[in-house]
């Protein structure tokens, strides 16, 4: 059984004993405590003894009052309320004792006492007081005799209650003393039982738990100090102490095995330290010849094999370092050559880019000039068309003038006819005036003046007609010449239109050429930028090749510090030397620089 199980059982027993003792003590104390059953019964007995006398007084005092009424009925008004109060007090006490938990004999005595009291009050209420109220002396005396007999019976019953109550109180006092004695004895026995159980538990803890634990702790201290010879005690026990002892025995066996391993580990550490010191000194030919224990033999073989492989690897590294150094030298030379050619190519592209920029600028200017000429020609064409329209308007005006001249000629012919008719009329008037003699002399003068005026009008009409004829001839000549000018202007407009179309085509072509040249210039600029980047990359590659060459030389220097085995040292590999690249040849051809490169050089790059 485990200590935990034993502790649980012992604890359960102690708890059960404590609970039983506590229950017994609680029961005894509950019996004798204030307010307990014994105390309540004793108090009830005391109350009975104390209250019975007041009950007698309650009946005796009313009896005295009844006696006074029997002698002096006139006191009825004064005594009736007092008697009613005394009767209610009697009834209250009777009800309280009837409900009290009294023994049967006491309850019977109290019942008899209450019954005699009720008979007293029944006689007083039913016969005596009515007789006093009527003033019937004979009835008063007869009823008073019955009241007196009831009072005597009540006194005898009261005496029985007193004697029964006294006996009950004596019995209850004795019972309380017995309960108290029994409670004290039970408490003493429970205390002794608890002391015995606690002593047994302490004894078991000291001998069965603490002593083995102390011995185990001392044994573990010795084991911690390196003493693994003494075997633990109590390994045969089935509790936790036995489990601890068996576990310590396992630790002791492990400690003994560890001690055996320590010697082997020390040998391993010494040999490995010597081998590592040799490795730190650069001697890769060192080997561990002393055999190790079985658990560490694989470590010795692995160490020796590691040194052998490391020696072979270092030999290979030395050879690779030589090859890397040679290759780095070739790369550096090739990078220098490539850098030089790239710089030349970059310079050529830069010049080409500048030339393309100038050509692009010129073609752009030409296209702009052609656009300006196209605009000027368009303006001239518009003005020529406006001149043609003006000529057409002038021809129309000449035609209108010619028509007006014809109309004026017609008007002049009319005026000439009118002048001729006027002249005839004046002539006729003169003839008629001559015929009239002196009477028509004044009329003859007028006819002469009219004739002269008609002649002048005819002359003026002839002159106007001659002028109109000359003007009409000149207007016709002007019209023909204006029409010739309009035809010439029309041909000029056609020629200007043709010139404008040709100049527009030239401007469009120049703009397309400018756009193409800008694209070519952008491509050349991109090639220049890429070439500059390539040059920078070549410089970086050259620097990396130089750094690689220096690191290869440093690696060779580091490898040379190691002492290698004959098998690990291999013949150095001769680097394959490439033929030197030819420098780029620049030739001037039509203002351009051409770099002639060998195909093998580009392949190697």
């Amino acid at each position: 059984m485990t200590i935990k199980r034993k502790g649980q059982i012992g604890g359960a027993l102690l708890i059960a004993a404590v609970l039983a003792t506590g229950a017994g003590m609680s029961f005894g104390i509950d019996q004798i405590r204030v307010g307990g059953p014994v105390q309540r019964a004793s108090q009830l007995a005391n109350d009975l003894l104390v209250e019975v006398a007041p009950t007698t007084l309650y009946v005796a005092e009313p009896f005295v009052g009844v006696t006074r009424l029997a002698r002096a009925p006139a006191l009825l008004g004064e005594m009736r309320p007092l008697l009613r109060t005394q009767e209610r007090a009697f009834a209250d006490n009777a009800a309280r004792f009837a409900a009290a938990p009294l023994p049967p004999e006491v309850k019977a005595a109290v019942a008899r006492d209450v019954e005699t009291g009720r008979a007293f009050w029944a006689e007083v209420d039913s016969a005596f007081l009515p007789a006093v109220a009527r003033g019937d002396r004979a009835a008063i005396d007869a009823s008073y005799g019955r009241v007196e007999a009831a009072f005597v019976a009540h006194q005898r019953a009261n005496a029985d209650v007193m004697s029964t109550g006294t006996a009950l109180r004596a019995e209850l006092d004795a019972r309380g003393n017995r309960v108290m004695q029994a409670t004290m004895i039970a408490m003493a026995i429970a205390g002794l039982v608890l002391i015995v159980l606690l002593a047994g538990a302490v004894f078991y803890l000291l001998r069965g738990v603490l002593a083995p634990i102390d011995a185990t702790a001392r044994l573990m201290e010795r084991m911690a100090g390196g003493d693994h010879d003494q075997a633990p005690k109590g390994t045969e026990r089935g509790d936790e102490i036995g489990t601890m002892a068996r576990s310590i025995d396992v630790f002791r066996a492990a400690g003994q095995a560890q001690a055996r391993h320590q010697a082997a580990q020390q040998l391993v550490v010494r040999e490995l330290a010597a081998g590592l010191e040799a490795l730190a000194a650069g001697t890769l030919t060192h080997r561990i010849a002393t055999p190790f224990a079985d658990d560490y033999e694989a470590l010795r073989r692995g160490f020796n094999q590691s040194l052998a492989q490391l020696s072979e690897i270092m030999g290979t590294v030395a050879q690779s370092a030589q090859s890397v150094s040679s290759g780095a030298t070739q790369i550096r030379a090739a990078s220098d050559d490539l850098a030089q050619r790239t710089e030349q190519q970059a310079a050529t592209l830069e010049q080409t880019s500048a030339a393309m920029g100038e050509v692009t600028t010129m073609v752009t200017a030409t296209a702009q000039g052609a656009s300006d000429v196209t605009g000027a020609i368009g303006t001239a064409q518009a003005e020529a068309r406006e001149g043609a329209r003006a000529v057409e308007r002038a021809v129309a005006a000449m035609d209108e003038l010619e028509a007006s001249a014809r109309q004026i000629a017609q008007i002049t012919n009319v005026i000439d006819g009118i002048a001729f008719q006027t002249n005839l009329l004046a002539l006729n008037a003169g003839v008629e005036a001559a015929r009239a003699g002196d009477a028509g002399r004044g009329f003859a003068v007028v006819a002469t003046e009219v004739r002269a005026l008609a002649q002048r009008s005819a002359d003026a009409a002839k002159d106007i007609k001659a002028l109109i004829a000359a003007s009409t001839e000149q207007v016709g000549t002007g019209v023909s010449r204006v029409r010739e000018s309009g035809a010439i202007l029309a041909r000029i407009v056609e020629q200007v239109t043709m010139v404008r179309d040709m100049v527009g085509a030239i401007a469009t072509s120049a703009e397309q050429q400018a756009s193409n040249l800008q694209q070519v210039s952008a491509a050349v600029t991109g090639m220049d930028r890429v070439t500059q980047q390539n040059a920078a990359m070549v410089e970086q590659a050259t620097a990396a090749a130089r750094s690689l060459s220096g690191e290869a030389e440093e690696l060779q220097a580091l490898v040379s510090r190691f002492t290698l085995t004959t098998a690990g040292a291999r013949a150095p590999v001769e680097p394959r030397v490439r033929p030197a690249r030819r420098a780029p040849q620049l030739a001037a051809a039509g203002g351009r620089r051409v770099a002639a490169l060998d195909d093998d050089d580009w392949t190697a790059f």
Side-chain angles (χ1 to χ4, degrees):
M1 184 181 296
T2 62
I3 295 176
K4 180 179 180 181
R5 184 61 177 170
K6 293 178 181 177
Q8 291 175 350
I9 294 174
L13 292 176
L14 286 175
I15 293 172
V18 171
L19 292 177
T21 303
M25 293 173 63
S26 298
F27 177 76
I29 293 171
D30 183 69
Q31 292 294 320
I32 63 176
R33 67 180 176 87
V34 176
V38 176
Q39 194 271 339
R40 288 197 303 271
S42 178
Q43 184 66 34
L44 185 61
N46 290 330
D47 293 340
L48 180 64
L49 294 177
V50 172
E51 296 294 336
V52 166
T55 303
T56 303
L57 290 176
Y58 291 154
V59 176
E61 186 175 357
F63 181 71
V64 173
V66 169
T67 302
R68 290 179 63 188
L69 283 175
R71 294 177 181 178
L75 298 176
L76 179 62
E78 178 183 353
M79 296 301 296
R80 187 186 292 274
L82 180 62
L83 291 175
R84 292 286 180 267
T85 302
Q86 292 172 352
E87 186 179 4
R88 285 194 298 271
F90 174 81
D92 293 338
N93 281 331
R96 185 166 69 88
F97 282 107
L102 296 173
E105 62 276 11
V106 177
K107 188 177 284 291
V110 171
R112 288 192 300 272
D113 183 57
V114 171
E115 185 64 26
T116 57
R118 288 175 177 172
F120 171 82
W121 284 109
E123 181 62 27
V124 170
D125 292 334
S126 61
F128 181 75
L129 290 178
V132 172
R134 292 192 307 270
D136 188 355
R137 188 66 202 178
I140 292 172
D141 293 339
S143 178
Y144 179 75
R146 290 191 297 274
V147 169
E148 185 178 7
F151 174 70
V152 172
H154 179 69
Q155 282 185 330
R156 288 195 297 270
N158 193 10
D160 293 338
V161 171
M162 291 293 291
S163 62
T164 304
T166 302
L168 176 62
R169 184 173 64 182
E171 182 182 356
L172 291 175
D173 291 340
R175 179 183 173 187
N177 292 330
R178 290 194 302 272
V179 171
M180 184 177 296
Q181 291 176 359
T183 302
M184 296 300 293
I185 292 172
M187 292 173 64
I189 293 173
L192 290 176
V193 171
L194 287 176
I195 291 172
V196 171
L197 290 176
L198 290 175
V202 171
F203 178 77
Y204 173 74
L205 289 174
L206 292 176
R207 293 293 302 275
V209 178
L210 297 180
I213 291 177
D214 182 65
T216 302
R218 290 195 299 271
L219 177 61
M220 293 179 68
E221 288 179 356
R222 288 194 297 271
M223 290 176 60
D227 184 7
H228 301 89
D229 296 334
Q230 184 178 357
K233 297 180 181 179
T235 55
E236 72 281 356
R237 295 180 58 166
D239 53 8
E240 288 83 352
I241 302 298
T243 302
M244 291 173 59
R246 288 189 292 273
S247 300
I248 292 171
D249 193 22
V250 173
F251 293 151
R252 184 177 68 87
Q256 291 175 351
Q258 184 178 6
R260 289 192 298 270
H261 287 299
Q262 282 181 352
Q265 288 178 354
Q266 291 176 358
L267 175 62
V268 171
V269 170
R270 287 196 301 272
E271 293 295 333
L272 288 177
L276 292 175
E277 289 177 358
L279 180 60
T283 303
L284 300 180
T285 58
H286 180 81
R287 300 292 184 270
I288 299 176
T290 304
F292 289 167
D294 294 338
D295 294 338
Y296 302 102
E297 181 61 23
L299 179 61
R300 184 184 70 86
R301 290 195 300 268
F303 182 80
N304 291 336
Q305 291 176 1
S306 298
L307 284 180
Q309 292 180 0
L310 182 60
S311 177
E312 183 178 356
I313 291 171
M314 292 306 296
T316 304
V317 169
Q319 296 173 8
S320 299
Q322 293 178 359
S323 300
V324 169
S325 178
S326 177
T329 301
Q330 293 181 5
I331 292 173
R332 182 176 61 185
S335 297
D336 292 338
D337 190 7
L338 180 60
Q340 182 180 3
R341 287 182 292 178
T342 304
E343 290 176 357
Q344 293 176 356
Q345 185 180 5
T348 303
L349 286 174
E350 185 176 2
Q351 294 177 359
T352 304
S353 177
M356 290 301 298
E358 294 177 357
V359 173
T360 302
T361 302
M362 294 174 63
V363 172
T364 303
T366 302
Q368 184 63 35
S371 298
D372 296 340
V373 171
T374 301
I377 292 174
T379 302
Q381 183 182 9
E383 293 179 354
R385 288 178 179 174
E386 184 65 25
R389 286 193 293 271
V391 169
E392 291 176 356
R393 289 195 296 271
V395 171
M398 291 295 181
D399 291 338
E400 291 176 357
L401 288 174
E402 186 177 4
S404 297
R406 291 193 190 96
Q407 291 177 0
I408 292 170
Q410 292 176 1
I411 293 170
T412 303
N413 291 329
V414 171
I415 293 171
D416 190 14
I418 292 172
F420 179 74
Q421 293 294 330
T422 303
N423 193 9
L424 290 178
L425 290 174
L427 182 62
N428 292 326
V431 172
E432 292 298 327
R435 287 178 183 176
D438 293 335
R441 185 177 295 172
F443 188 75
V445 174
V446 173
T448 301
E449 291 295 331
V450 170
R451 182 177 179 186
L453 180 60
Q455 186 63 41
R456 287 196 299 270
S457 296
D459 295 338
K462 290 179 180 180
D463 294 337
I464 291 171
K465 187 175 182 181
L467 292 173
I468 290 173
S471 176
T472 302
E473 184 179 359
Q474 291 177 358
V475 167
T477 303
V479 168
S480 62
R481 290 180 180 178
V482 168
R483 287 177 178 173
E484 291 178 357
S485 298
I488 293 172
L489 285 175
R491 289 194 297 273
I492 290 172
V493 169
E494 291 179 358
Q495 295 297 325
V496 169
T497 302
M498 293 175 61
V499 171
R500 188 196 63 179
D501 294 338
M502 289 186 291
V503 173
I506 292 172
T508 303
S509 177
E511 290 177 356
Q512 292 178 355
Q513 290 178 3
S515 177
N516 294 332
L517 287 173
Q518 288 178 356
Q519 294 178 1
V520 173
S521 179
V524 172
T525 302
M527 292 175 62
D528 186 17
R529 184 173 59 254
V530 172
T531 303
Q532 296 292 340
Q533 293 176 356
N534 291 337
M537 293 176 63
V538 168
E539 290 179 359
Q540 293 178 359
T542 302
R546 292 174 181 173
S547 177
L548 180 62
S549 178
E551 291 177 358
E553 292 177 357
E554 184 178 356
L555 180 61
Q556 288 179 354
L558 291 174
V559 172
S560 65
R561 295 172 55 185
F562 292 95
T563 302
L564 305 178
T565 59
T566 305
R570 299 180 180 176
V573 180
E574 292 295 333
R576 183 169 59 90
V577 181
R578 297 183 181 272
R581 298 179 178 86
R582 294 176 297 174
Q585 298 176 356
L586 302 178
R592 294 178 300 171
R593 302 176 63 188
V594 181
L597 301 177
D598 187 46
D599 293 338
D600 295 337
D601 294 340
W602 287 107
T603 304
F605 176 73

